[in-house]
Amino acid sequence: MTTVAEPAELLRRLRPDSVTHIERVPTRAGETVPWPGWVPDPLRAAFAQRGVTAPWRHQAEAASHAHAGRHVVVATGTASGKSMAYQLPALAALLADPRATTLYLAPTKALAADQLRAVAALDIDGVRPACYDGDTPREEREWIRQHSRFVLTNPDMLHHGILPGHAAWATFLRRLRYVVVDECHSYRGVFGSHVSHVLRRLRRAAARYGRTPVFVLASATSGDPATSAKRLTGLVVEAVTEDASPRGGVTFALCEPAQQPVFEGGGDATPVRRSALRESADLLADAVINGVRTLAFVRSRRGAEAVATMARRSLDEAVPGLGARVAAYRGGYLREERRELEAALHSGELLGLASTNALELGVDLVGLDAVVICGWPGTRASLWQQAGRAGRNGHEALAVLVARDDPLDTYLVHHPEALFGRPVEATVLDPANPYVLAPQLCSAAYEAPLTRADLPLFGPEAAAVLDELVAEGILRRRPSGWYWTGKERPEVDLRGTGGLPVCVVEAATGRLLGTVDPGSSHFMVHPGAVYLHQGESYIVDDLDLDDAVALVHREEPEWSTHARDVTSLSVVSVRSYVDAGPVGLFFGDVDVTSQVVSYQRRRIGSGEVLGTWPLELPTRELRTTAVWFTLSPQSLEAAGVDDVPGGLHAAEHAAIGLLPLVATCDRWDIGGLSTAGHPDTGAPTVFVYDGHPGGAGFAERAYKIAAAWLQATRDAIDGCACETGCPSCVQSPKCGNGNNPLSKADAVRVLDVVLSSLPR
């Protein structure tokens, strides 16, 4: 039997020596305004039935922009009611014109399903809202095309299903009044660049049927939302940023897990920081025992499974059967599993959930009391989005950021000024990336021949890319335009995952457990890997990359597995550079060759390395963009750098770890390489590159603000309390060289040389 406790009770359970900072976000009163005059009475009554008697000021302002035909982005805090900003104009239009339609786009299926519930609950006659995505049964799709006037989908289905078959959607597109782009801040990097062109293709398709729909975008609080929305849509967009909704108080704690002694080989104890996964699992278990409804966000699918498993074990030891009230939620689950978990969370059957960021966006999780964030989520926008999942009814809430053993996490929990009172990042995307633009132009040509009048829609680079596609025989130029030459539709990977997902199948039964994106398969489901699914462990027996299948068997090992890779890099071209005397700073194109070559087994709990096992997996080649700096050997000698390879290697690791502080990327979106003498530069060099074909804009961003980025890197290394380097400063969890050689002291000296030379 659980007893209900206040979220603050969890705060008192944190170890005092692990809390580095507590921030109090005060309660804020809301400001309502009268309903705009254009809102019809039936719509007002529908909202009144749901307990909404008047809109918040920002809702009415954004909705009125859209009603007047102006494209608009509403960028306000989590749980500020952004949904009403597009529901009001869209549903008002559907009531006024019984033939009008609205298309809603969400980045995740969970969010689209949640918004379907919200629109359906308003019970507006004749709207017939429906989800149209990969989970929609074939027999329902024709009905949706013909009869639904409020279709909820995602960019993937718009790209793969709706636009290529636009003739079947002719009636819907001919009547399209509004396009809603929800959680638009999530469209960044390669995925965001692809989505920007999918939206341009949608505008082109609608124009063919005589429509110019109004775009309404919803975003978390973000830096310069109007400019980001313009890059995403290609349209001039009004921005509404003043949040007038009420907010309950939030207590935000920053936590660095304490160190604990680990004995290896019978020798002296080595202090090792307690893992963030274990700390988060204990917090989740404490919350459930005390009846505090809590959501734990974990960076990886494997981590979410591990946190849920550890929390369940702790709960069952304390109260047999209580572990059943905790579950994991992540991408890769089957549709039925996702829907069951969402329903259990809404009903209160589940008290605790360990989730990847699949539940970060918009989903209305009513009644949550606390959020545990296991590791820096990558951006301040995501941090506040995740923290905002708690207290969504205006009640007091608790958020705890648990630092991983990682340079950026350690830096942030000791520099709260980098988190609080700072604007969130601007979204980084690059629609001009030729590796994005070329396949998108092919998709547009497949849908309908491209004409010269279409080119401004796709940007000034489109003409040159079209010439290349014609030269390669992919498109054919005619007086009337550019035509697709293939028999099949173009293959385009919107999310940059590298192709079809790898199916994880239990060998003994043939049961499909889930899927892994191909870009992660070499790391997550290599032979010998431990694969977690809903708290159960499996060992991978075989990875068949040709058939995209990983065969597994059930086993409960005492270890986890961690893949290691090796990388080589060559410079293709330099786009821009800064000559700073003994230091050179460059941005350009590179070719990267990488291969997963081995994996470690580490004992669960202590992290003790049990051994390394070789792997034979194919190499992968990548043409991408990079930022790099070179140093003269004389400058390093004058600075007293004794271990040049170790200093460069340590600086590279820390620079990769700190880049997400200044660019909206994830550590796993980028890679790096360092060498005491690179053949293409002829000097000691550190490279940091985008992990996506053609680049994703992250390296370019790093090049533009290199001084600030490298200063934060230098401060993080120098400020770490360790003596010779640790995972909190210069060691990397994905280093293919086993974090050897590394020199913490020389990394500081290397960065001092760079910073003293670069212009500020």
Side-chain angles (χ1 to χ4, degrees):
M1 183 68 181
T2 59
T3 58
V4 178
E6 286 296 318
E9 177 66 25
L10 273 186
L11 188 62
R12 290 189 284 273
R13 291 172 178 270
L14 289 171
R15 295 172 177 82
D17 59 343
S18 70
V19 177
T20 61
H21 180 78
I22 294 177
E23 186 82 7
R24 174 67 184 165
V25 181
T27 300
R28 179 185 65 207
E31 178 188 349
T32 60
V33 295
W35 291 105
W38 50 265
V39 178
D41 290 340
L43 188 54
R44 300 186 194 193
F47 277 107
Q49 285 287 328
R50 305 293 298 169
V52 179
T53 57
W56 307 118
R57 178 169 43 80
H58 66 274
Q59 293 172 327
E61 182 182 350
S64 294
H65 276 303
H67 178 73
R70 294 183 289 270
H71 310 293
V72 62
V73 56
V74 53
T76 52
T78 306
S80 59
K82 292 185 285 288
S83 300
M84 185 186 284
Y86 54 77
Q87 289 171 353
L88 280 177
L91 294 174
L94 269 55
L95 280 168
D97 179 355
R99 301 189 303 168
T101 61
T102 291
L103 183 67
Y104 168 95
L105 299 172
T108 66
K109 294 177 182 177
L111 177 55
D114 186 76
Q115 286 299 303
L116 173 63
R117 286 190 290 268
V119 175
L122 292 171
D123 197 23
I124 305 294
D125 285 342
V127 172
R128 300 182 292 276
C131 274
Y132 190 89
D133 57 32
D135 291 340
T136 305
R138 295 259 171 210
E139 58 272 16
E140 293 180 17
R141 296 186 180 189
E142 178 62 26
W143 184 93
I144 292 171
R145 284 194 293 267
Q146 296 299 323
H147 301 291
S148 176
R149 299 172 60 218
F150 197 118
V151 172
L152 301 97
T153 187
N154 51 60
D156 308 80
M157 196 63 177
L158 179 59
H159 163 74
H160 290 290
I162 297 176
L163 291 175
H166 59 82
W169 289 85
T171 301
F172 185 91
L173 292 171
R174 194 172 287 117
R175 300 168 177 177
L176 185 61
R177 292 286 299 276
Y178 289 98
V179 175
V180 178
V181 185
D182 206 354
E183 304 291 359
C184 64
H185 64 279
S186 66
Y187 299 120
R188 59 182 178 83
V190 169
F191 181 43
S193 302
H194 273 296
V195 171
S196 72
H197 287 296
V198 172
L199 295 179
R200 286 160 172 79
R201 286 162 48 206
L202 172 62
R203 290 173 52 202
R204 176 175 178 253
R208 286 176 57 85
Y209 294 99
R211 298 302 300 179
T212 305
V214 174
F215 278 71
V216 186
L217 300 96
S219 168
T221 305
S222 65
D224 199 1
T227 299
S228 296
K230 181 179 179 181
R231 295 194 77 188
L232 186 63
T233 62
L235 299 164
V236 176
V237 179
E238 302 287 338
V240 175
T241 58
E242 293 293 326
D243 191 341
S245 66
R247 181 183 63 198
V250 179
T251 301
F252 209 130
L254 305 183
C255 170
E256 181 180 52
Q259 293 195 333
Q260 57 187 11
V262 173
F263 296 89
E264 294 190 29
D268 294 335
T270 301
V272 175
R273 183 193 286 184
R274 199 165 185 263
S275 82
L277 294 175
R278 169 60 69 183
E279 192 84 5
S280 300
D282 286 352
L283 283 170
L284 185 59
D286 281 345
V288 172
I289 286 175
N290 286 277
V292 178
R293 294 185 64 188
T294 302
L295 181 60
F297 282 106
V298 191
R299 298 296 306 276
S300 67
R301 295 179 175 188
R302 178 181 293 178
E305 294 279 5
V307 166
T309 299
M310 289 187 284
R312 278 196 292 257
R313 286 174 180 167
S314 297
L315 288 167
D316 283 334
E317 289 174 4
V319 181
L322 189 56
R325 302 196 71 181
V326 172
Y329 185 104
R330 59 170 175 80
Y333 281 177
L334 304 179
R335 178 194 185 191
E336 294 76 16
E337 291 176 308
R338 294 197 307 270
R339 296 296 177 260
E340 287 175 7
L341 288 169
E342 291 163 17
L345 189 63
H346 276 280
S347 69
E349 179 184 344
L350 285 176
L351 273 177
L353 199 63
S355 172
T356 60
N357 63 359
L359 285 180
E360 173 185 319
L361 301 174
V363 179
D364 189 13
L365 305 177
V366 177
L368 290 182
D369 304 306
V371 165
V372 176
I373 303 169
C374 181
W376 168 244
T379 64
R380 283 183 288 271
S382 285
L383 181 77
W384 289 107
Q385 194 81 352
Q386 292 182 3
R389 297 297 94 184
R392 289 175 69 84
N393 284 331
H395 299 300
E396 289 286 319
L398 171 68
V400 182
L401 172 62
V402 180
R404 293 170 301 165
D405 215 354
D406 171 276
L408 181 53
D409 286 41
T410 302
Y411 177 86
L412 290 172
V413 295
H414 289 284
H415 293 81
E417 70 279 2
L419 294 177
F420 303 109
R422 294 278 300 275
V424 299
E425 308 84 354
T427 303
V428 175
L429 56 99
D430 181 17
N433 179 341
Y435 288 83
V436 171
L437 181 54
Q440 287 293 334
L441 288 172
C442 290
S443 296
Y446 172 82
E447 291 154 11
L450 281 163
T451 67
R452 189 161 293 281
D454 292 327
L455 298 194
L457 196 60
F458 296 98
E461 300 83 4
V465 173
L466 283 172
D467 289 341
E468 294 178 11
L469 293 170
V470 171
E472 294 171 13
I474 298 172
L475 296 183
R476 180 177 292 117
R477 178 72 194 273
R478 300 289 192 199
S480 55
W482 289 264
Y483 289 74
W484 172 246
T485 60
K487 294 181 180 179
E488 304 294 330
R489 70 176 62 172
E491 290 188 10
V492 183
D493 182 11
L494 289 194
R495 296 181 184 261
T497 56
L500 294 173
V502 174
C503 295
V504 182
V505 176
E506 188 174 23
T509 64
R511 181 166 65 106
L512 176 64
L513 299 176
T515 58
V516 175
D517 69 77
S520 303
S521 61
H522 289 214
F523 291 90
M524 290 186 63
V525 288
H526 58 76
V530 176
Y531 177 79
L532 294 174
H533 181 77
Q534 277 296 1
E536 295 185 338
S537 297
Y538 297 83
I539 301 292
V540 178
D541 299 315
D542 180 58
L543 172 60
D544 187 331
L545 293 170
D546 292 332
D547 290 336
V549 173
L551 297 177
V552 302
H553 71 269
R554 188 81 175 81
E555 191 174 326
E556 292 286 345
E558 298 291 325
W559 62 82
S560 59
T561 51
H562 304 264
R564 298 166 62 184
D565 65 345
V566 295
T567 302
S568 62
L569 180 150
S570 61
V571 175
V572 177
S573 64
V574 174
R575 298 191 192 182
S576 180
Y577 71 94
V578 175
D579 184 348
V583 172
L585 178 70
F586 301 84
F587 172 69
D589 300 288
V590 297
D591 280 336
V592 180
T593 302
S594 62
Q595 183 179 22
V596 173
V597 295
S598 63
Y599 70 96
Q600 288 182 340
R601 289 179 180 174
R602 300 179 191 171
R603 192 179 302 281
I604 295 173
S606 71
E608 175 191 354
V609 177
L610 302 176
T612 301
W613 280 257
L615 290 169
E616 294 184 5
L617 290 170
T619 59
R620 291 175 161 181
E621 296 181 354
L622 175 72
R623 172 70 61 86
T624 187
T625 55
V627 56
W628 65 95
F629 59 83
T630 61
L631 306 96
S632 71
Q634 296 81 4
S635 68
L636 293 175
E637 184 178 354
V641 177
D642 297 321
D643 180 359
V644 173
L648 294 172
H649 194 194
E652 171 218 326
H653 282 181
I656 291 171
L658 269 293
L659 183 54
L661 184 66
V662 295
T664 54
C665 65
D666 185 285
R667 181 179 188 138
W668 301 89
D669 285 331
I670 50 182
L673 182 142
S674 59
T675 174
H678 193 276
D680 294 333
T681 65
T685 310
V686 172
F687 294 90
V688 175
Y689 58 85
D690 287 352
H692 299 277
F698 307 137
E700 183 176 15
R701 173 74 173 158
Y703 173 76
K704 291 178 178 178
I705 55 169
W709 165 43
L710 296 176
Q711 183 67 58
T713 302
R714 189 252 182 226
D715 292 346
I717 300 172
D718 190 52
C720 186
C722 73
E723 292 184 10
T724 59
C726 68
S728 296
C729 58
V730 299
Q731 293 180 2
S732 168
K734 61 175 186 173
C735 180
N737 296 315
N739 286 297
N740 184 50
L742 288 178
S743 172
K744 176 184 177 182
D746 283 329
V748 174
R749 297 185 186 107
V750 165
L751 291 168
D752 281 340
V753 173
V754 176
L755 290 165
S756 64
S757 303
L758 285 180
R760 293 281 175 165

